[in-house]
Amino acid sequence: MAGPSLLDSLFQRSLEDLIKGLRLYIGDESSFISKSLDEIRREIKSTDQQTKATALQKLTYLHSIYGIDMSWAAFHAIELSSSQSFNFKRIAYLAASLSFDPLTTDVILLLTHQLRKDLQSPNSHEVGLALHALYYISTPDLARDLTPEVFTLLNSNKGKTRKKAIAIILRLFELFPDSVRVCFKRLVENLENSDPAIVSAVVGVFCELACKEPKSYLPLAPEFYKILVHSRNNWLLIKVLKIFVKLAPLEPRLGKRLVEPICDHLKRTTAKSLAFECVRTIVSSFSEYESAVRVAVENIKEFLNEDDPNLRYLGLQALTIVASKHLWAVMENKDFVIKSLSDADVNIKLEALQLVLAMVSEDNVVDICKVLINYALKSDPEFCNEILGCILLTCSRNVYEIIVDFDWYVSLLGEMSRIPHCQKGEEIENQLVDIGMRVKDARPELVRVGRDLLIDPALLGNPFVHRILSAAAWVSGEYVRFSKNPPEIVEALLQPRTSLLASSIKAVYIQSAFKVLTFYLHYSISTKGVISPASQGVEDLMHGRVQENSQFVRPVADSDTESFEDMSVAHEWSSLTSLKVEPITEESIVNILDLVETTLGPLAGSHEVEILERSRNVLGLVELIREELPGYLVKREEDNDKGQRKTHEMIKLIAEAFSEELGPVSASSQERIPIPEGMELNQSLDDLDAICGDFGLHIPTSFSLGRSISSEKDDVTMSDRQSKEEVESTESTSLLAEHRKRHGLYYLQSQKKEMVYDDYPPANDIKTGDNADDEANDLIKLTEQSLFSKKKANQAKPRPVVVKLDDGDGPFITAKKVELKDDLVSGAVRDVLLGDEATTSLSRTKKSDKPSSKRRQDKLDKDKSSRPKEDSKSMENSELENANLRRSKCHSRGKEKKQRSTAIDRDEHEEGDKQKVSHHHGKHKSRQRADGALTLAAQSPVIPDFLL
Amino acid sequence: MVINTLGKPRLSKFYEFQPAEKQQELIRHVYAVLSNRPDNVSNFIRSLGAIFGPDTRLVYKHYATLYFVFLFDNSENELAMLDLIQVFVETLDKCFRSVCELDVVFNYSKMHTILDEIILGGQVLETDSVEVMRAVEEITKLESTTTASTLINKSIPSWWAS
């Protein structure tokens, strides 16, 4: 046995050899590694410690650099850790800390004894090793078993060891909350240590703890304040500031005290890191202190003018935080921000972009967008899309709140689509359709933009634009009455390159072509008279339509610049039309019909159901007209015999069906319908979730197809588009009317306060899909109008509560969860703070054996002495009361510690006064808590928070 | 973590347990992000949310052929972290007398020792490179004394084998 072992060790490769070998085998490392692994496996079993250690070291190296699994060697590491040699011990602990998984490595417990021994070692480096290892591999059991040793180390006279022990405490608290009870007091005592490194370590621990649950550490604020004022150690100050950022929202009075020292540091320090931390603290937590913000903004300016991109980036970041409350700060640095848009650094560019958008308002949106689009054209694809995305987001915020000129915005959208790198097709698509439905006045411009996009064959080659084209096609079809030249659109919709489109978009194209065609035919029938001398009748007819639809009907004309809104020009146009509309002849109709037939003919056999169905619909119509085509236009004038009228009637019906308005409907409107009694919905919520998830996924796609698909999805049985439309228009409107009467409450109100809202068509088509934006927006509006809403579907009993409930549900639950998750540590901390308190007061009052009641008594006296006549003051809310309870502990402690700054002391006196107001409640509760501190585990202190 | 400019990890340390594959993946991810950045830009990267969690930020520094990367959450200050990298590199410099990538490659365990003196369990403990040096030297001395006896007969074979 000794033989091979000796041989092994004689010819064993060292770690260095391994590394050299790896460097030789570049490109073919894996074979070398597997060879070495075989060696290691053999060597590690050796009884010779040196051999074992080297093998383990090599393995650790391979593990951490090449990701080789070494969980199988866990036991060897443990074996080696008991070595007398520091070197081997180090190798073993390093291997353990890099490769042990506290959750799955089951041999960890075997280390307990060894760790304990090493923690007690007189050699501080050995202790250090053990502490390191403990951090990585500690399990709740290990933490429990070794807490006493770490506790002893907290008082170690070797600074380094004490520091490490403090750092490790965090992990112990996490894994074994009861350790808080043991160690917390000593930890707090270390705050007053003269060695800044130790204080720094303690503050570091508190910083981490405060991140999780700041409330519990509020009582320590005075200690931190002292550090803030007196310390000159930048690391320490940064950490203290971090803690105060967490505490500030809980205790509004902190601001008053803190602003001054922070500003002092800001003016004094030369360290950029501390300066930045001060700035960040001020702008994020104390932004209501005008003067401090001024100082901070001055500092930010300095940052912005630095050469170092890091500082500029951080400066901009700080500015972003200020922006929400002090826009002037951004305005002051406007030039710099705009300049930064062309910075080489992506980080800086992105921050600058955020800032630019923060400056956007109704007045400057046009200019800013122009600037941004220019930048977008110049920059790389990624940033270009970032810009476009931000523009889209900002402009559409709160239902296009900042947009006044929609014609401009719509053309901007068109412009965006033509930017070569644009990948925001989906968003632009949504907005085009959305604006079409929401903003009546923008429709003519929409149709113009849509037409420009559709007739450009080049755009069809860019797949990112397809979604936009789909919206353009839908808009052109839906609002074809604003179109100047319907045949042109039909041609564009049916151009050969449309074969590049995805089938779903192609379906939209065909459907739109159908709508345009119908409109065109309908129009040709009704205006046919124009060609005849007796044009009076037609004018009447047109006026009739104008009134009937309360919508101006745009005649076919080539004139470019008339304003669409102006109704008074109607007469002029009709005469204009009579000259120019000549193209509407049988010939032109025949041309279009031919075009439709030749392009759609092949598609009637398409494998795509949507395409097949739609093209068949169109072809059906074409066929129908063709039958009666000879003399199609002329005959009617001579005698309106029945046969002809049938076609006309048909076209008229279809046209009317299409001309019905589509309005936005909140995607959540379905949810707001009360659930019938006896309907069990909350039986298996998981299923429901899954279903809802599916549904959510479908919405966007069905939406993209506009009305046609979504309605078809709803009733598949009706394959015939025409009859469906008719049925829908009669049946569903009547149903809707009825529904509306009953649940009018849940419908969007048609009168809105702003101009944009005025344009809302009533929600009249419940089947219209809607996007997520709408849902949110509508919800907001609903809240504004304080309409009532039903609870979500998962509650069986409808509760007539204001929308707030819907919103408040989520956050509340999560908040509670967080609380529960952290309550072990923080609860224990609170206990200890209380216990701490109790014991200190005990020591002061010497002979009491009931610390909590004694303390209470103590406070009562104090309260009486300092109490002004404020008995009638109303009860504060529960949160404050809790804070007061905790502050009050601090209060009594504050009294004991004479050296505390008087300012804070005074503050706490005020606290004490308030505390007394809620005394009746507080007394009972806090005694309960104090008792808990002595006996029970962590759960009791947390509960009162919710019960109060 | 320390990565060279070719994407090879040279040193990595994770303060929460991560399985080996995950570690490699994270390193690759960081490298992919870093290698795409030009030299004269800021050293912070924020948008790592998808892989490291929402609050995680990254700070890196590029020395010759090595990237030094620290990942941290919002309880640390960005500039302070940048300083910390400086401290780390300074210490290495003092230990190896003008450090280069080869030093990092061949002194794997010493690197860990140095790093451990600066950071314990994700907490920054020491920011003074002189202090760190002193501790590291003590440890090195300790190693050589305790292993001196075994080294005597080991030194020959290791020289022989290579």
Side-chain angles (χ1 to χ4, degrees):
Chain A
M1 196 61 204
S5 155
L6 184 67
L7 212 66
D8 276 347
S9 64
L10 276 178
F11 292 102
Q12 187 185 26
R13 282 177 219 267
S14 68
L15 175 61
E16 198 161 321
D17 300 332
L18 177 77
I19 297 172
K20 273 186 193 147
L22 281 168
R23 290 175 69 81
L24 280 177
Y25 281 82
I26 284 171
D28 189 27
E29 283 157 346
S30 58
S31 67
F32 184 76
I33 290 176
S34 59
K35 211 175 93 199
S36 311
L37 268 180
D38 290 340
E39 285 174 11
I40 291 170
R41 272 177 205 277
R42 195 156 27 85
E43 291 161 7
I44 209 165
K45 294 192 190 107
S46 157
T47 45
D48 177 33
Q49 281 202 336
Q50 172 70 41
T51 314
K52 198 187 202 61
T54 311
L56 190 63
Q57 195 178 22
K58 288 194 285 185
L59 186 59
T60 313
Y61 178 81
L62 290 177
H63 168 77
S64 90
I65 302 294
Y66 295 91
I68 304 298
D69 174 60
M70 65 174 287
S71 52
W72 52 270
F75 185 72
H76 297 290
I78 288 175
E79 227 178 2
L80 197 65
S81 71
S82 61
S83 162
Q84 292 300 314
S85 152
F86 180 79
N87 196 22
F88 298 159
K89 202 186 273 298
R90 201 177 57 80
I91 290 170
Y93 277 135
L94 182 65
S97 58
L98 289 182
S99 70
F100 284 15
D101 177 1
L103 294 177
T104 57
T105 310
D106 41 10
V107 286
I108 286 179
L109 276 185
L110 299 176
L111 257 182
T112 314
H113 179 65
Q114 186 59 40
L115 277 172
R116 180 174 295 145
K117 225 173 90 189
D118 288 335
L119 285 176
Q120 290 163 346
S121 157
N123 182 337
S124 67
H125 294 296
E126 254 171 38
V127 179
L129 283 181
L131 283 172
H132 266 287
L134 181 60
Y135 174 83
Y136 288 103
I137 64 171
S138 59
T139 60
D141 287 339
L142 211 56
R144 186 194 58 219
D145 293 340
L146 294 176
T147 297
E149 278 73 28
V150 178
F151 174 70
T152 323
L153 291 176
L154 283 179
N155 257 0
S156 160
N157 48 13
K158 289 182 190 124
K160 215 164 262 161
T161 309
R162 198 193 276 209
K163 219 162 57 180
K164 287 180 178 167
I166 290 167
I168 212 86
I169 275 289
L170 192 62
R171 185 47 70 100
L172 293 189
F173 282 5
E174 233 166 66
L175 293 169
F176 179 57
D178 276 351
S179 63
V180 174
R181 239 171 285 287
V182 184
C183 302
F184 198 80
K185 197 176 153 214
R186 205 167 266 191
L187 189 63
V188 174
E189 280 166 10
N190 272 321
L191 265 181
E192 292 175 358
N193 198 291
S194 54
D195 183 354
I198 288 177
V199 181
S200 167
V202 181
V203 171
V205 170
F206 277 118
C207 185
E208 293 296 319
L209 287 172
C211 279
K212 287 179 189 130
E213 222 272 286
K215 237 161 56 183
S216 322
Y217 308 98
L218 213 48
L220 291 170
E223 317 282 349
F224 297 137
Y225 178 80
K226 242 182 348 187
I227 296 171
L228 181 68
V229 175
H230 298 300
S231 174
R232 286 291 174 269
N233 179 324
N234 292 338
W235 281 89
L236 191 52
L237 288 172
I238 288 172
K239 286 283 178 187
V240 170
L241 285 173
K242 292 268 184 205
I243 296 178
F244 275 125
V245 167
K246 295 285 180 317
L247 297 184
L250 301 173
E251 180 50 88
R253 274 159 305 198
L254 273 177
K256 232 184 331 177
R257 299 263 163 279
L258 293 176
V259 163
E260 206 180 314
I262 295 178
C263 286
D264 287 347
H265 282 303
L266 196 50
K267 288 171 193 152
R268 178 190 56 79
T269 185
T270 51
K272 290 287 173 200
S273 49
L274 178 58
F276 178 66
E277 199 57 48
C278 290
V279 168
R280 181 156 56 189
T281 310
I282 292 175
V283 296
S284 61
S285 301
F286 305 117
S287 57
E288 63 272 26
Y289 296 91
E290 202 70 39
S291 61
V293 173
R294 282 249 163 242
V295 178
V297 171
E298 282 307 309
N299 239 276
I300 293 178
K301 256 182 215 160
E302 277 171 37
F303 272 91
L304 294 181
N305 291 324
E306 295 279 348
D307 283 336
D308 185 353
N310 288 327
L311 299 179
R312 272 184 285 147
Y313 167 63
L314 291 176
L316 286 173
Q317 213 181 337
L319 214 49
T320 316
I321 308 175
V322 194
S324 58
K325 290 196 181 122
H326 300 275
L327 201 58
W328 55 264
V330 188
M331 288 302 189
E332 276 179 17
N333 296 294
K334 195 169 148 197
D335 293 342
F336 178 83
V337 171
I338 300 278
K339 209 176 75 200
S340 301
L341 276 179
S342 47
D343 201 284
D345 192 334
V346 186
N347 287 343
I348 294 184
K349 283 200 283 191
L350 287 177
E351 282 306 322
L353 181 60
Q354 291 304 323
L355 281 169
V356 170
L357 291 170
M359 290 192 279
V360 169
S361 71
E362 261 177 41
D363 310 318
N364 60 13
V365 61
V366 178
D367 297 328
I368 289 186
C369 285
K370 206 182 283 167
V371 172
L372 287 179
I373 292 281
N374 279 336
Y375 274 107
L377 283 169
K378 277 187 285 182
S379 47
D380 56 309
E382 199 183 330
F383 189 58
C384 170
N385 279 299
E386 198 70 43
I387 294 181
L388 296 184
C390 285
I391 296 179
L392 290 170
L393 193 73
T394 316
C395 289
S396 62
R397 199 163 46 207
N398 267 346
V399 205
Y400 312 99
E401 193 178 48
I402 56 167
I403 306 291
V404 178
D405 181 359
F406 271 91
D407 286 355
W408 163 79
Y409 186 58
V410 168
S411 53
L412 179 77
L413 289 178
E415 210 177 306
M416 280 186 193
S417 332
R418 288 170 185 277
I419 293 176
H421 301 308
C422 175
Q423 293 172 11
K424 296 285 170 193
E426 197 174 339
E427 182 58 27
I428 295 179
E429 175 201 23
N430 287 343
Q431 292 200 7
L432 283 175
V433 175
D434 196 37
I435 293 176
M437 290 196 290
R438 285 169 189 271
V439 191
K440 244 183 218 171
D441 292 341
R443 286 174 192 169
E445 181 65 13
L446 263 178
V447 171
R448 196 189 62 76
V449 168
R451 168 200 168 271
D452 289 351
L453 291 173
L454 287 179
I455 60 170
D456 187 350
L459 289 178
L460 283 165
N462 178 359
F464 291 119
V465 187
H466 285 180
R467 302 288 303 264
I468 305 173
L469 289 176
S470 148
W474 184 82
V475 165
S476 304
E478 187 61 29
Y479 306 115
V480 60
R481 55 183 177 277
F482 298 109
S483 168
K484 291 166 202 156
N485 190 354
E488 182 189 60
I489 292 179
V490 175
E491 273 171 43
L493 288 171
L494 298 176
Q495 61 184 289
R497 272 171 72 91
T498 52
S499 56
L500 295 167
L501 294 170
S503 63
S504 60
I505 296 173
K506 186 117 211 240
V508 179
Y509 263 61
I510 297 171
Q511 185 69 19
S512 295
F514 186 32
K515 286 182 191 168
V516 177
L517 185 65
T518 314
F519 172 81
Y520 186 58
L521 292 172
H522 182 56
Y523 183 75
S524 70
I525 297 162
S526 43
T527 52
K528 160 199 49 88
V530 177
I531 331 172
S532 77
S535 61
Q536 191 58 44
V538 180
E539 268 171 45
D540 284 351
L541 185 78
M542 282 193 57
H543 281 290
R545 276 186 63 180
V546 166
Q547 277 147 22
E548 181 187 290
N549 292 354
S550 74
Q551 190 91 54
F552 190 79
V553 179
R554 176 83 170 125
V556 182
D558 289 323
S559 48
D560 264 303
T561 47
E562 283 98 339
S563 75
F564 297 96
E565 294 83 355
D566 197 347
M567 306 281 264
S568 68
V569 229
H571 272 277
E572 219 176 301
W573 275 350
S574 61
S575 54
L576 202 80
T577 341
S578 65
L579 297 173
K580 298 205 169 179
V581 105
E582 224 75 54
I584 307 196
T585 57
E586 269 182 43
E587 199 184 327
S588 68
I589 292 180
V590 169
N591 280 343
I592 291 193
L593 294 184
D594 282 347
L595 176 74
V596 170
E597 241 172 0
T598 46
T599 39
L600 293 186
L603 293 177
S606 166
H607 292 298
E608 297 289 341
V609 185
E610 296 289 353
I611 294 180
L612 178 136
E613 193 173 330
R614 268 147 233 270
S615 27
R616 279 195 184 266
N617 284 344
V618 184
L619 289 174
L621 180 76
V622 170
E623 233 162 77
L624 197 72
I625 293 163
R626 257 188 208 273
E627 272 173 24
E628 303 174 1
L629 195 63
Y632 178 65
L633 289 172
V634 197
K635 245 185 188 173
R636 194 206 162 206
E637 205 195 8
E638 285 166 357
D639 57 332
N640 302 330
D641 74 291
K642 299 272 172 184
Q644 290 293 17
R645 290 206 70 139
K646 214 171 103 191
T647 335
H648 293 168
E649 201 72 15
M650 185 79 86
I651 291 172
K652 202 174 156 204
L653 275 173
I654 301 172
E656 268 166 21
F658 279 146
S659 66
E660 200 181 300
E661 285 248 344
L662 299 176
V665 172
S666 162
S668 59
S669 54
Q670 181 86 50
E671 286 168 19
R672 279 180 247 133
I673 297 169
I675 294 151
E677 264 177 53
M679 195 170 178
E680 281 294 330
L681 280 183
N682 57 349
Q683 274 175 337
S684 63
L685 284 174
D686 292 345
D687 285 3
L688 195 71
D689 270 354
I691 293 163
C692 285
D694 281 358
F695 193 64
L697 281 178
H698 285 316
I699 284 178
T701 50
S702 67
F703 176 62
S704 73
L705 304 174
R707 171 189 193 165
S708 32
I709 285 226
S710 54
S711 33
E712 230 153 65
K713 269 190 180 162
D714 286 343
D715 41 9
V716 189
T717 47
M718 303 195 184
S719 57
D720 185 358
R721 178 75 190 165
Q722 282 162 248
S723 65
K724 196 194 78 183
E725 285 291 347
E726 280 164 45
V727 170
E728 195 179 286
S729 57
T730 53
E731 195 177 280
S732 71
T733 38
S734 68
L735 273 173
L736 265 164
E738 204 179 305
H739 187 267
R740 193 177 215 329
K741 223 185 284 168
R742 259 194 294 169
H743 308 292
L745 199 52
Y746 305 114
Y747 279 84
L748 298 175
Q749 285 187 352
S750 33
Q751 70 274 20
K752 302 274 150 83
K753 37 190 178 181
E754 279 179 36
M755 164 244 150
V756 180
Y757 302 156
D758 273 334
D759 294 323
Y760 267 68
N764 61 355
D765 189 347
I766 204 152
K767 283 164 184 168
T768 315
D770 221 357
N771 57 20
D773 265 348
D774 276 351
E775 177 184 10
N777 292 331
D778 291 337
L779 213 68
I780 291 166
K781 250 178 253 122
L782 284 170
T783 352
E784 276 171 9
Q785 294 160 26
S786 65
L787 282 181
F788 282 44
S789 159
K790 291 300 158 197
K791 288 281 295 187
K792 284 175 192 154
N794 57 8
Q795 252 132 12
K797 198 173 67 177
R799 265 205 278 165
V801 196
V802 194
V803 177
K804 224 178 164 185
L805 244 177
D806 263 358
D807 295 338
D809 237 14
F812 180 72
I813 287 165
T814 54
K816 197 167 178 173
K817 265 183 200 153
V818 168
E819 192 79 22
L820 286 176
K821 203 180 79 193
D822 281 326
D823 74 0
L824 283 179
V825 172
S826 59
V829 168
R830 265 179 249 169
D831 276 4
V832 171
L833 279 173
L834 262 165
D836 192 16
E837 209 31 61
T839 45
T840 33
S841 63
L842 177 70
S843 65
R844 275 188 75 75
T845 56
K846 283 185 175 122
K847 58 184 174 183
S848 170
D849 52 352
K850 278 188 217 155
S852 62
S853 64
K854 183 68 209 165
R855 187 169 56 88
R856 193 40 67 183
Q857 192 57 48
D858 215 15
K859 194 167 293 152
L860 256 176
D861 297 343
K862 234 179 295 173
D863 285 340
K864 264 175 200 150
S865 60
S866 65
R867 168 205 310 207
K869 288 101 200 155
E870 287 182 321
D871 285 9
S872 59
K873 213 183 199 177
S874 68
M875 268 266 277
E876 302 278 333
N877 66 28
S878 59
E879 204 67 359
L880 202 70
E881 186 185 327
N882 259 316
N884 284 337
L885 274 174
R886 261 174 261 116
R887 291 287 299 202
S888 68
K889 279 161 245 147
C890 195
H891 172 44
S892 48
R893 195 150 66 154
K895 270 218 151 178
E896 290 151 26
K897 290 179 183 160
K898 299 293 187 208
Q899 78 270 39
R900 183 147 311 152
S901 71
T902 49
I904 285 202
D905 231 330
R906 196 175 59 234
D907 194 16
E908 279 162 4
H909 271 292
E910 287 162 25
E911 290 279 342
D913 297 339
K914 258 194 203 149
Q915 195 271 335
K916 174 225 69 238
V917 177
S918 52
H919 207 178
H920 305 301
H921 288 251
K923 183 173 178 179
H924 172 68
K925 230 122 230 172
S926 58
R927 180 178 299 165
Q928 199 180 357
R929 280 179 177 202
D931 289 343
L934 296 173
T935 56
L936 250 168
Q939 66 267 43
S940 59
V942 188
I943 298 160
D945 273 334
F946 289 102
L947 295 181
L948 276 172
Chain B
M1 47 178 100
V2 180
I3 315 177
N4 82 354
T5 41
L6 297 172
K8 269 204 182 131
R10 292 305 185 196
L11 173 76
S12 65
K13 196 134 188 161
F14 294 83
Y15 292 98
E16 293 291 335
F17 178 79
Q18 305 283 355
E21 310 84 61
K22 180 81 177 162
Q23 289 186 7
Q24 296 293 311
E25 187 198 322
L26 293 176
I27 293 172
R28 271 196 303 276
H29 182 80
V30 168
Y31 176 69
V33 174
L34 291 186
S35 55
N36 278 330
R37 292 176 69 85
D39 271 346
N40 54 342
V41 301
S42 56
N43 303 99
F44 310 117
I45 298 172
R46 239 181 155 183
S47 49
L48 291 161
I51 187 151
F52 290 106
D55 279 335
T56 313
R57 274 164 291 170
L58 178 154
V59 57
Y60 72 97
K61 222 161 181 183
H62 188 177
Y63 289 97
T65 55
L66 290 175
Y67 286 115
F68 287 80
V69 182
F70 281 12
L71 286 154
F72 56 97
D73 63 9
N74 51 15
S75 56
E76 305 291 345
N77 177 293
E78 291 89 342
L79 291 171
M81 283 297 114
L82 210 53
D83 286 346
L84 194 67
I85 294 186
Q86 187 63 37
V87 170
F88 184 48
V89 175
E90 256 172 43
T91 318
L92 293 181
D93 222 29
K94 282 179 191 158
C95 277
F96 303 118
R97 282 193 213 91
S98 81
V99 62
C100 69
E101 191 180 342
L102 277 185
D103 292 323
V104 177
V105 173
F106 282 105
N107 290 284
Y108 173 73
S109 55
K110 196 161 182 182
M111 292 280 288
H112 271 289
T113 314
I114 296 170
L115 191 57
D116 282 351
E117 282 306 310
I118 299 176
I119 301 173
L120 194 162
Q123 298 271 343
V124 180
L125 279 189
E126 186 55 70
T127 55
D128 184 354
S129 60
V130 180
E131 281 291 316
V132 179
M133 274 301 297
R134 193 180 306 150
V136 172
E137 267 160 20
E138 275 174 39
I139 290 176
T140 323
K141 209 184 292 168
L142 207 61
E143 276 172 24
S144 48
T145 50
T146 52
T147 52
S149 55
T150 41
L151 264 179
I152 292 168
N153 52 16
K154 286 297 158 190
S155 57
I156 303 162
S158 69
W159 157 84
W160 201 347
S162 64

